[in-house]
Amino acid sequence: MPLAQALVGVPFVVRTMLPVLRAVDERLREAAAVLGASPLRAWREVDLPLVRRAVLVAAGFAFAVSLGEFGATVFIARPDNPTLPVAVARLLGRSGELNYGQAMALSTILMLVCAVSLLLLERIRTDRSGEF
């Protein structure tokens, strides 16, 4: 199941990270190399501080998307260990007010977790000037 969730989240990660990684000035890496930094240290000291917020935003988007993903997990989820969207669908498929109430409660929890994660992403994404 984590593989299916990762496949669902990869486009959001790529879409978020690619422009930021392309915007990193190559001269900064070259300067670090001239000063004796290994490629790993140059990445850690130059690239990572510049792309840290984008990594957090990409991870948050992937989390929010995979949390609510139903299509990929409905085929993979085990009956004894369903995800929230699969549990909601199963409860809605059963008759009775108790099942309906439980489905609505799980939907509310799912909505709140997604909303909180997206609000945190928005807080991370913007700085004081409102730019990315």
Side-chain angles (χ1 to χ4, degrees):
M1 195 162 5
L3 182 60
Q5 298 298 334
L7 288 174
V8 168
V10 163
F12 294 95
V13 172
V14 170
R15 179 75 169 108
T16 304
M17 290 300 300
L18 196 58
V20 176
L21 289 172
R22 286 184 178 164
V24 175
D25 192 358
E26 184 65 33
R27 293 179 294 178
L28 294 173
R29 290 186 202 110
E30 291 171 1
V34 167
L35 292 172
S38 67
L40 179 63
R41 182 165 183 197
W43 180 83
R44 190 179 70 234
E45 300 290 332
V46 175
D47 291 346
L48 188 59
L50 295 173
V51 301
R52 182 178 347 175
R53 285 194 309 166
V55 168
L56 293 174
V57 168
F61 275 133
F63 170 75
V65 167
S66 67
L67 186 64
E69 176 59 33
F70 177 76
T73 58
V74 74
F75 296 109
I76 299 172
R78 297 180 191 165
D80 60 331
N81 196 12
T83 61
L84 275 177
V86 172
V88 168
R90 286 182 186 164
L91 288 169
L92 287 175
R94 298 177 186 160
S95 62
E97 290 183 25
L98 180 61
N99 290 329
Y100 183 75
Q102 289 175 345
M104 292 300 112
L106 285 176
S107 297
T108 303
I109 291 170
L110 181 63
M111 180 186 63
L112 287 174
V113 170
C114 286
V116 167
S117 66
L118 291 175
L119 288 171
L120 288 173
L121 285 176
E122 189 62 25
R123 188 174 183 114
I124 291 170
R125 186 184 71 85
T126 56
D127 61 5
R128 292 182 185 149
S129 65
E131 298 176 6
F132 187 63

